[in-house]
Amino acid sequence: MKKIFLILFTAGIFLNAQDKLIVEYESFTKMDMENLLNGSEISVSDREIQDALKKAMETPSYYQLIMTPDESLYEYQERINNQQKEEGSRVSISFGQRGKLYKNLKENLVLREANSWNVDYLIQDSVKTYDWKITRESQDILGYETRKATAEIDSITNLVAWYAPRLSFKSGPDVYGGLPGLILKLEKISKTKTGGEQTQTTTAISIQTGNEKTKITRPKKGKLVNQKEFKEESEKQMQRMKEMYDGGIDKD
């Protein structure tokens, strides 16, 4: 009887410890350089563009996900990059989102910080659902057995997720989730206009339990818009900048 009680007590501690988790993710973006450069207005001979793209693909972005069973906050983590831009280089490229992303499953709410043309926005959306197909494949990530699931976002973008059933959170990197366990690795594979592929791979590198000091704060910074309004305002700002630029050029 004592042994049974001890097992139940230990399980209870494990479940309570999962009330709040903090996960650190590392993200890399890879793309088909040859197809990208050949199909664009960028000259393949432009060495600076090629070098900047290669450096960006070798440089990871880091994110922190704080979550409870009902809400989460996904935030970019600034880290010192020792590979500074070479002196005299005009080109600097980076991948990945920079704003905070808040998700509330009970309210079916997503809030994402964004900046367009130096204007701060807060984009409001509903929680996305995906038609996940769970497979029998598995792999170990940070000591957790994860299972593979796939989903198709649209005709050009597919997802491959590895989720941990032992971590019973229906969340993951960025907006992705909805699986019976926390996503510890996510591959987002997209076809480019030039016929190549772009793959963003985001993998958990640490997991720890939160405490009473671990806070999930709903973002409030920026003009509140939906995704359609954000796109329309960004396009208007781009058009205004184009008109200002064209207006300053002598077209004799």
Side-chain angles (χ1 to χ4, degrees):
M1 179 66 86
K2 289 183 179 179
K3 187 180 290 184
I4 294 173
F5 174 76
L6 180 61
I7 291 171
L8 291 175
F9 181 71
T10 304
I13 291 176
F14 182 73
L15 290 174
N16 289 334
Q18 284 198 34
D19 286 346
K20 192 174 290 181
L21 278 187
I22 304 172
V23 183
E24 299 288 340
Y25 288 95
E26 183 179 66
S27 183
F28 285 92
T29 299
K30 303 292 184 184
M31 59 179 62
D32 187 329
M33 287 279 291
E34 185 175 349
N35 277 302
L36 175 71
L37 295 175
N38 285 340
S40 70
E41 296 178 359
I42 299 171
S43 171
V44 180
S45 62
D46 192 335
R47 191 70 183 178
E48 280 190 313
I49 295 290
Q50 295 182 56
D51 289 346
L53 280 168
K54 288 177 181 177
K55 185 172 289 187
M57 286 190 282
E58 293 168 357
T59 305
S61 297
Y62 294 94
Y63 298 88
Q64 181 185 75
L65 175 64
I66 304 175
M67 79 203 91
T68 68
D70 296 323
E71 62 177 347
S72 64
L73 185 67
Y74 188 70
E75 184 176 2
Y76 173 75
Q77 301 293 291
E78 190 71 51
R79 294 200 181 184
I80 296 173
N81 181 12
N82 293 324
Q83 296 180 337
Q84 299 295 332
K85 187 171 72 170
E86 294 180 9
E87 187 176 350
S89 175
R90 298 167 298 165
V91 181
S92 178
I93 297 173
S94 60
F95 295 117
Q97 298 283 345
R98 292 295 184 267
K100 298 177 182 178
L101 183 134
Y102 171 83
K103 183 161 54 177
N104 191 307
L105 300 181
K106 279 190 173 181
E107 298 179 23
N108 190 29
L109 173 69
V110 173
L111 294 171
R112 183 193 291 276
E113 291 182 342
N115 182 282
S116 178
W117 301 94
N118 293 322
V119 178
D120 290 322
Y121 291 93
L122 192 58
I123 306 170
Q124 181 174 309
D125 204 348
S126 58
V127 177
K128 302 295 184 185
T129 58
Y130 303 94
D131 185 19
W132 292 108
K133 303 289 190 301
I134 296 175
T135 76
R136 294 184 178 182
E137 293 182 59
S138 65
Q139 66 171 276
D140 183 278
I141 300 176
L142 296 177
Y144 291 92
E145 181 187 14
T146 64
R147 298 174 185 172
K148 182 180 179 181
T150 61
E152 183 180 290
I153 295 182
D154 50 41
S155 60
I156 64 170
T157 307
N158 292 291
L159 301 175
V160 177
W162 297 88
Y163 70 96
R166 280 176 56 199
L167 301 173
S168 54
F169 293 84
K170 295 183 178 181
S171 194
D174 204 72
V175 297
Y176 305 106
L179 282 162
L182 176 63
I183 298 174
L184 296 186
K185 182 177 180 181
L186 183 79
E187 295 174 272
K188 182 180 178 183
I189 306 159
S190 304
K191 297 177 184 176
T192 66
K193 294 179 180 180
T194 56
E197 277 191 354
Q198 176 175 311
T199 302
Q200 182 183 32
T201 303
T202 304
T203 309
I205 56 175
S206 74
I207 302 173
Q208 59 182 312
T209 56
N211 54 42
E212 66 277 359
K213 294 182 180 180
T214 307
K215 304 295 183 183
I216 297 177
T217 305
R218 188 181 299 217
K220 298 179 181 179
K221 179 183 177 182
K223 180 181 178 180
L224 187 64
V225 293
N226 58 36
Q227 187 63 51
K228 181 182 178 182
E229 291 168 338
F230 174 70
K231 183 179 179 181
E232 289 174 349
E233 292 205 16
S234 296
E235 288 174 349
K236 287 179 182 177
Q237 289 168 345
M238 185 178 292
Q239 182 61 32
R240 283 197 292 268
M241 291 298 293
K242 185 177 182 300
E243 289 172 356
M244 288 175 60
Y245 177 77
D246 290 345
I249 298 176
D250 188 355
K251 299 181 179 181
D252 290 346

PDB file of all heavy atoms in Angstrom, residues 186-211:
ATOM      1  N   LEU A 186       9.712  21.590 -34.871  1.00  0.00           N
ATOM      2  CA  LEU A 186       8.784  21.912 -35.954  1.00  0.00           C
ATOM      3  C   LEU A 186       9.564  22.291 -37.205  1.00  0.00           C
ATOM      4  O   LEU A 186      10.456  23.143 -37.158  1.00  0.00           O
ATOM      5  CB  LEU A 186       7.863  23.061 -35.557  1.00  0.00           C
ATOM      6  CG  LEU A 186       6.804  23.427 -36.595  1.00  0.00           C
ATOM      7  CD1 LEU A 186       5.644  22.440 -36.542  1.00  0.00           C
ATOM      8  CD2 LEU A 186       6.297  24.842 -36.397  1.00  0.00           C
ATOM      9  N   GLU A 187       9.218  21.671 -38.315  1.00  0.00           N
ATOM     10  CA  GLU A 187       9.781  22.035 -39.617  1.00  0.00           C
ATOM     11  C   GLU A 187       8.660  22.627 -40.467  1.00  0.00           C
ATOM     12  O   GLU A 187       7.634  21.976 -40.683  1.00  0.00           O
ATOM     13  CB  GLU A 187      10.367  20.820 -40.322  1.00  0.00           C
ATOM     14  CG  GLU A 187      11.561  20.206 -39.619  1.00  0.00           C
ATOM     15  CD  GLU A 187      11.996  18.918 -40.291  1.00  0.00           C
ATOM     16  OE1 GLU A 187      11.462  17.849 -39.919  1.00  0.00           O
ATOM     17  OE2 GLU A 187      12.855  18.984 -41.189  1.00  0.00           O
ATOM     18  N   LYS A 188       8.864  23.849 -40.936  1.00  0.00           N
ATOM     19  CA  LYS A 188       7.929  24.508 -41.843  1.00  0.00           C
ATOM     20  C   LYS A 188       8.594  24.582 -43.205  1.00  0.00           C
ATOM     21  O   LYS A 188       9.587  25.284 -43.385  1.00  0.00           O
ATOM     22  CB  LYS A 188       7.583  25.904 -41.327  1.00  0.00           C
ATOM     23  CG  LYS A 188       6.571  26.639 -42.178  1.00  0.00           C
ATOM     24  CD  LYS A 188       6.276  28.016 -41.594  1.00  0.00           C
ATOM     25  CE  LYS A 188       5.302  28.797 -42.454  1.00  0.00           C
ATOM     26  NZ  LYS A 188       5.069  30.163 -41.915  1.00  0.00           N
ATOM     27  N   ILE A 189       8.055  23.840 -44.167  1.00  0.00           N
ATOM     28  CA  ILE A 189       8.671  23.698 -45.482  1.00  0.00           C
ATOM     29  C   ILE A 189       7.797  24.392 -46.523  1.00  0.00           C
ATOM     30  O   ILE A 189       6.636  24.027 -46.711  1.00  0.00           O
ATOM     31  CB  ILE A 189       8.851  22.215 -45.845  1.00  0.00           C
ATOM     32  CG1 ILE A 189       9.618  21.495 -44.723  1.00  0.00           C
ATOM     33  CG2 ILE A 189       9.573  22.054 -47.169  1.00  0.00           C
ATOM     34  CD1 ILE A 189       9.434  20.003 -44.708  1.00  0.00           C
ATOM     35  N   SER A 190       8.362  25.393 -47.183  1.00  0.00           N
ATOM     36  CA  SER A 190       7.590  26.189 -48.146  1.00  0.00           C
ATOM     37  C   SER A 190       8.277  26.199 -49.501  1.00  0.00           C
ATOM     38  O   SER A 190       9.508  26.309 -49.588  1.00  0.00           O
ATOM     39  CB  SER A 190       7.437  27.630 -47.647  1.00  0.00           C
ATOM     40  OG  SER A 190       6.849  27.674 -46.367  1.00  0.00           O
ATOM     41  N   LYS A 191       7.476  26.123 -50.554  1.00  0.00           N
ATOM     42  CA  LYS A 191       7.990  26.280 -51.909  1.00  0.00           C
ATOM     43  C   LYS A 191       8.123  27.764 -52.202  1.00  0.00           C
ATOM     44  O   LYS A 191       7.258  28.555 -51.844  1.00  0.00           O
ATOM     45  CB  LYS A 191       7.047  25.633 -52.917  1.00  0.00           C
ATOM     46  CG  LYS A 191       6.892  24.130 -52.759  1.00  0.00           C
ATOM     47  CD  LYS A 191       5.871  23.586 -53.750  1.00  0.00           C
ATOM     48  CE  LYS A 191       5.631  22.095 -53.544  1.00  0.00           C
ATOM     49  NZ  LYS A 191       4.570  21.573 -54.454  1.00  0.00           N
ATOM     50  N   THR A 192       9.209  28.142 -52.879  1.00  0.00           N
ATOM     51  CA  THR A 192       9.412  29.544 -53.227  1.00  0.00           C
ATOM     52  C   THR A 192       8.928  29.804 -54.647  1.00  0.00           C
ATOM     53  O   THR A 192       8.705  28.878 -55.433  1.00  0.00           O
ATOM     54  CB  THR A 192      10.898  29.920 -53.118  1.00  0.00           C
ATOM     55  OG1 THR A 192      11.637  29.191 -54.111  1.00  0.00           O
ATOM     56  CG2 THR A 192      11.447  29.588 -51.746  1.00  0.00           C
ATOM     57  N   LYS A 193       8.785  31.079 -54.980  1.00  0.00           N
ATOM     58  CA  LYS A 193       8.324  31.457 -56.314  1.00  0.00           C
ATOM     59  C   LYS A 193       9.310  31.045 -57.400  1.00  0.00           C
ATOM     60  O   LYS A 193       8.941  30.939 -58.569  1.00  0.00           O
ATOM     61  CB  LYS A 193       8.093  32.977 -56.373  1.00  0.00           C
ATOM     62  CG  LYS A 193       6.953  33.458 -55.487  1.00  0.00           C
ATOM     63  CD  LYS A 193       6.803  34.964 -55.584  1.00  0.00           C
ATOM     64  CE  LYS A 193       5.674  35.469 -54.708  1.00  0.00           C
ATOM     65  NZ  LYS A 193       5.525  36.945 -54.784  1.00  0.00           N
ATOM     66  N   THR A 194      10.554  30.819 -56.995  1.00  0.00           N
ATOM     67  CA  THR A 194      11.582  30.486 -57.977  1.00  0.00           C
ATOM     68  C   THR A 194      11.767  28.985 -58.149  1.00  0.00           C
ATOM     69  O   THR A 194      12.682  28.544 -58.836  1.00  0.00           O
ATOM     70  CB  THR A 194      12.924  31.112 -57.558  1.00  0.00           C
ATOM     71  OG1 THR A 194      13.260  30.666 -56.237  1.00  0.00           O
ATOM     72  CG2 THR A 194      12.835  32.624 -57.567  1.00  0.00           C
ATOM     73  N   GLY A 195      10.913  28.187 -57.498  1.00  0.00           N
ATOM     74  CA  GLY A 195      10.976  26.741 -57.673  1.00  0.00           C
ATOM     75  C   GLY A 195      11.806  26.008 -56.649  1.00  0.00           C
ATOM     76  O   GLY A 195      11.921  24.778 -56.708  1.00  0.00           O
ATOM     77  N   GLY A 196      12.390  26.721 -55.694  1.00  0.00           N
ATOM     78  CA  GLY A 196      13.172  26.078 -54.648  1.00  0.00           C
ATOM     79  C   GLY A 196      12.348  25.838 -53.394  1.00  0.00           C
ATOM     80  O   GLY A 196      11.116  25.892 -53.412  1.00  0.00           O
ATOM     81  N   GLU A 197      13.034  25.569 -52.291  1.00  0.00           N
ATOM     82  CA  GLU A 197      12.376  25.336 -51.013  1.00  0.00           C
ATOM     83  C   GLU A 197      13.021  26.177 -49.920  1.00  0.00           C
ATOM     84  O   GLU A 197      14.220  26.434 -49.948  1.00  0.00           O
ATOM     85  CB  GLU A 197      12.470  23.856 -50.604  1.00  0.00           C
ATOM     86  CG  GLU A 197      11.432  22.974 -51.217  1.00  0.00           C
ATOM     87  CD  GLU A 197      11.396  21.589 -50.591  1.00  0.00           C
ATOM     88  OE1 GLU A 197      12.271  21.276 -49.750  1.00  0.00           O
ATOM     89  OE2 GLU A 197      10.502  20.821 -50.945  1.00  0.00           O
ATOM     90  N   GLN A 198      12.182  26.589 -48.975  1.00  0.00           N
ATOM     91  CA  GLN A 198      12.666  27.267 -47.771  1.00  0.00           C
ATOM     92  C   GLN A 198      12.177  26.461 -46.578  1.00  0.00           C
ATOM     93  O   GLN A 198      10.985  26.172 -46.468  1.00  0.00           O
ATOM     94  CB  GLN A 198      12.149  28.702 -47.696  1.00  0.00           C
ATOM     95  CG  GLN A 198      12.541  29.420 -46.402  1.00  0.00           C
ATOM     96  CD  GLN A 198      12.128  30.877 -46.403  1.00  0.00           C
ATOM     97  OE1 GLN A 198      12.390  31.612 -47.364  1.00  0.00           O
ATOM     98  NE2 GLN A 198      11.466  31.315 -45.338  1.00  0.00           N
ATOM     99  N   THR A 199      13.094  26.092 -45.687  1.00  0.00           N
ATOM    100  CA  THR A 199      12.739  25.282 -44.527  1.00  0.00           C
ATOM    101  C   THR A 199      13.163  25.988 -43.249  1.00  0.00           C
ATOM    102  O   THR A 199      14.341  26.323 -43.075  1.00  0.00           O
ATOM    103  CB  THR A 199      13.418  23.898 -44.581  1.00  0.00           C
ATOM    104  OG1 THR A 199      13.027  23.231 -45.775  1.00  0.00           O
ATOM    105  CG2 THR A 199      13.014  23.049 -43.382  1.00  0.00           C
ATOM    106  N   GLN A 200      12.192  26.214 -42.372  1.00  0.00           N
ATOM    107  CA  GLN A 200      12.484  26.768 -41.054  1.00  0.00           C
ATOM    108  C   GLN A 200      12.351  25.640 -40.033  1.00  0.00           C
ATOM    109  O   GLN A 200      11.283  25.036 -39.899  1.00  0.00           O
ATOM    110  CB  GLN A 200      11.526  27.902 -40.704  1.00  0.00           C
ATOM    111  CG  GLN A 200      11.823  28.540 -39.343  1.00  0.00           C
ATOM    112  CD  GLN A 200      10.821  29.610 -38.974  1.00  0.00           C
ATOM    113  OE1 GLN A 200       9.646  29.528 -39.341  1.00  0.00           O
ATOM    114  NE2 GLN A 200      11.255  30.630 -38.255  1.00  0.00           N
ATOM    115  N   THR A 201      13.446  25.340 -39.335  1.00  0.00           N
ATOM    116  CA  THR A 201      13.452  24.269 -38.342  1.00  0.00           C
ATOM    117  C   THR A 201      13.644  24.865 -36.957  1.00  0.00           C
ATOM    118  O   THR A 201      14.655  25.526 -36.692  1.00  0.00           O
ATOM    119  CB  THR A 201      14.570  23.257 -38.630  1.00  0.00           C
ATOM    120  OG1 THR A 201      14.412  22.734 -39.957  1.00  0.00           O
ATOM    121  CG2 THR A 201      14.529  22.100 -37.638  1.00  0.00           C
ATOM    122  N   THR A 202      12.673  24.636 -36.070  1.00  0.00           N
ATOM    123  CA  THR A 202      12.702  25.182 -34.718  1.00  0.00           C
ATOM    124  C   THR A 202      12.695  24.026 -33.730  1.00  0.00           C
ATOM    125  O   THR A 202      11.768  23.209 -33.735  1.00  0.00           O
ATOM    126  CB  THR A 202      11.494  26.107 -34.485  1.00  0.00           C
ATOM    127  OG1 THR A 202      11.474  27.131 -35.492  1.00  0.00           O
ATOM    128  CG2 THR A 202      11.561  26.757 -33.123  1.00  0.00           C
ATOM    129  N   THR A 203      13.717  23.946 -32.877  1.00  0.00           N
ATOM    130  CA  THR A 203      13.908  22.802 -31.997  1.00  0.00           C
ATOM    131  C   THR A 203      14.098  23.253 -30.553  1.00  0.00           C
ATOM    132  O   THR A 203      14.852  24.199 -30.286  1.00  0.00           O
ATOM    133  CB  THR A 203      15.135  21.980 -32.429  1.00  0.00           C
ATOM    134  OG1 THR A 203      15.039  21.675 -33.824  1.00  0.00           O
ATOM    135  CG2 THR A 203      15.238  20.687 -31.639  1.00  0.00           C
ATOM    136  N   ALA A 204      13.435  22.583 -29.618  1.00  0.00           N
ATOM    137  CA  ALA A 204      13.605  22.888 -28.198  1.00  0.00           C
ATOM    138  C   ALA A 204      15.018  22.535 -27.754  1.00  0.00           C
ATOM    139  O   ALA A 204      15.532  21.466 -28.076  1.00  0.00           O
ATOM    140  CB  ALA A 204      12.582  22.108 -27.373  1.00  0.00           C
ATOM    141  N   ILE A 205      15.667  23.436 -27.007  1.00  0.00           N
ATOM    142  CA  ILE A 205      17.018  23.185 -26.503  1.00  0.00           C
ATOM    143  C   ILE A 205      17.054  23.131 -24.976  1.00  0.00           C
ATOM    144  O   ILE A 205      18.051  22.713 -24.399  1.00  0.00           O
ATOM    145  CB  ILE A 205      18.020  24.232 -27.024  1.00  0.00           C
ATOM    146  CG1 ILE A 205      17.569  25.650 -26.670  1.00  0.00           C
ATOM    147  CG2 ILE A 205      18.206  24.088 -28.532  1.00  0.00           C
ATOM    148  CD1 ILE A 205      18.586  26.722 -27.047  1.00  0.00           C
ATOM    149  N   SER A 206      15.961  23.537 -24.313  1.00  0.00           N
ATOM    150  CA  SER A 206      15.874  23.400 -22.858  1.00  0.00           C
ATOM    151  C   SER A 206      14.418  23.471 -22.424  1.00  0.00           C
ATOM    152  O   SER A 206      13.595  24.141 -23.069  1.00  0.00           O
ATOM    153  CB  SER A 206      16.697  24.478 -22.134  1.00  0.00           C
ATOM    154  OG  SER A 206      16.054  25.738 -22.207  1.00  0.00           O
ATOM    155  N   ILE A 207      14.112  22.772 -21.329  1.00  0.00           N
ATOM    156  CA  ILE A 207      12.762  22.767 -20.753  1.00  0.00           C
ATOM    157  C   ILE A 207      12.908  22.870 -19.238  1.00  0.00           C
ATOM    158  O   ILE A 207      13.687  22.141 -18.635  1.00  0.00           O
ATOM    159  CB  ILE A 207      11.988  21.478 -21.095  1.00  0.00           C
ATOM    160  CG1 ILE A 207      11.870  21.292 -22.604  1.00  0.00           C
ATOM    161  CG2 ILE A 207      10.599  21.490 -20.462  1.00  0.00           C
ATOM    162  CD1 ILE A 207      11.258  19.959 -23.008  1.00  0.00           C
ATOM    163  N   GLN A 208      12.166  23.789 -18.639  1.00  0.00           N
ATOM    164  CA  GLN A 208      12.165  23.902 -17.191  1.00  0.00           C
ATOM    165  C   GLN A 208      10.784  24.288 -16.700  1.00  0.00           C
ATOM    166  O   GLN A 208       9.980  24.844 -17.449  1.00  0.00           O
ATOM    167  CB  GLN A 208      13.209  24.922 -16.729  1.00  0.00           C
ATOM    168  CG  GLN A 208      13.007  26.331 -17.286  1.00  0.00           C
ATOM    169  CD  GLN A 208      14.079  27.280 -16.841  1.00  0.00           C
ATOM    170  OE1 GLN A 208      14.417  27.356 -15.663  1.00  0.00           O
ATOM    171  NE2 GLN A 208      14.652  28.038 -17.782  1.00  0.00           N
ATOM    172  N   THR A 209      10.512  23.989 -15.438  1.00  0.00           N
ATOM    173  CA  THR A 209       9.220  24.335 -14.859  1.00  0.00           C
ATOM    174  C   THR A 209       9.237  25.786 -14.388  1.00  0.00           C
ATOM    175  O   THR A 209      10.278  26.305 -13.976  1.00  0.00           O
ATOM    176  CB  THR A 209       8.882  23.416 -13.678  1.00  0.00           C
ATOM    177  OG1 THR A 209       9.938  23.484 -12.708  1.00  0.00           O
ATOM    178  CG2 THR A 209       8.715  21.985 -14.143  1.00  0.00           C
ATOM    179  N   GLY A 210       8.086  26.436 -14.460  1.00  0.00           N
ATOM    180  CA  GLY A 210       7.965  27.799 -13.992  1.00  0.00           C
ATOM    181  C   GLY A 210       7.592  27.847 -12.523  1.00  0.00           C
ATOM    182  O   GLY A 210       7.354  26.817 -11.886  1.00  0.00           O
ATOM    183  N   ASN A 211       7.532  29.047 -11.979  1.00  0.00           N
ATOM    184  CA  ASN A 211       7.117  29.237 -10.585  1.00  0.00           C
ATOM    185  C   ASN A 211       6.210  30.452 -10.499  1.00  0.00           C
ATOM    186  O   ASN A 211       5.753  30.980 -11.526  1.00  0.00           O
ATOM    187  CB  ASN A 211       8.342  29.392  -9.675  1.00  0.00           C
ATOM    188  CG  ASN A 211       9.292  30.492 -10.154  1.00  0.00           C
ATOM    189  OD1 ASN A 211       8.847  31.566 -10.569  1.00  0.00           O
ATOM    190  ND2 ASN A 211      10.589  30.219 -10.117  1.00  0.00           N
TER     191      ASN A 211
END
